[in-house]
Amino acid sequence: ECTNNPGWMIVNCCQSCEEKEGYGHLIDSEVRCTRERLNATQAAFDAGSLDDLFTKWATEDKFQQYEPSVISSPGKTHGAEHDGPWILTFDSFIDDEEIEALLKGAEYGGFERSTDQGKVVASSGEKEKVISTSRTSS
């Protein structure tokens, strides 16, 4: 299974993968999660493109229906309260009826709390799952 499903097996059953395939060194995220291994050798955004995106959100007419509010921006531009990284909210992005529909869908869809990796269970070599305090998922 280590070669058929390496992403899951290396993280969750590393001891088994070490014995069968010699993949134990990949339990170290500094080794496993390099840009090359993740096929992420190019930057996700070009220099300045995020600034352009936030500027569009803050200024273009088509986004005004969502009531953008600039909390912080580089150089304290676009009515920002603070000079710093971009922090922008859309105060009317979603209405109460849409929120209710999403919550109802979550009930029916079986949303669950996300988990993180805990300590290694000595008997199996797997890592225990712990409820995440910082992630959400479905």
Side-chain angles (χ1 to χ4, degrees):
E1 201 54 33
C2 295
T3 52
N4 292 336
N5 193 4
W8 191 89
M9 290 295 291
I10 289 167
V11 172
N12 294 288
C13 297
C14 195
Q15 183 175 345
S16 299
C17 291
E18 173 61 22
E19 294 168 5
K20 296 179 186 219
E21 306 291 341
Y23 292 161
H25 65 287
L26 294 176
I27 193 66
D28 180 356
S29 63
E30 297 291 325
V31 174
R32 184 179 72 251
C33 299
T34 63
R35 286 186 174 273
E36 291 75 22
R37 277 195 192 281
L38 297 173
N39 196 23
T41 54
Q42 293 181 315
F45 294 96
D46 294 329
S49 65
L50 276 177
D51 189 59
D52 292 344
L53 178 63
F54 276 90
T55 298
K56 286 179 184 180
W57 287 344
T59 62
E60 287 189 3
D61 287 341
K62 66 182 176 183
F63 299 109
Q64 296 312 302
Q65 64 182 321
Y66 304 116
E67 299 178 37
S69 177
V70 180
I71 310 301
S72 171
S73 68
K76 202 173 175 183
T77 58
H78 310 294
E81 299 171 31
H82 305 281
D83 181 11
W86 278 103
I87 301 174
L88 184 141
T89 62
F90 292 103
D91 297 332
S92 62
F93 181 75
I94 189 169
D95 64 31
D96 291 344
E97 187 177 325
E98 292 168 316
I99 291 169
E100 287 300 319
L102 284 170
L103 291 172
K104 188 169 278 261
E107 272 181 46
Y108 293 129
F111 284 1
E112 297 178 5
R113 292 289 309 266
S114 295
T115 58
D116 289 324
Q117 299 296 313
K119 296 177 183 175
V120 174
V121 177
S123 60
S124 66
E126 292 186 25
K127 288 193 168 191
E128 65 183 8
K129 292 181 180 181
V130 294
I131 299 292
S132 178
T133 59
S134 61
R135 295 178 49 237
T136 60
S137 62
S138 58

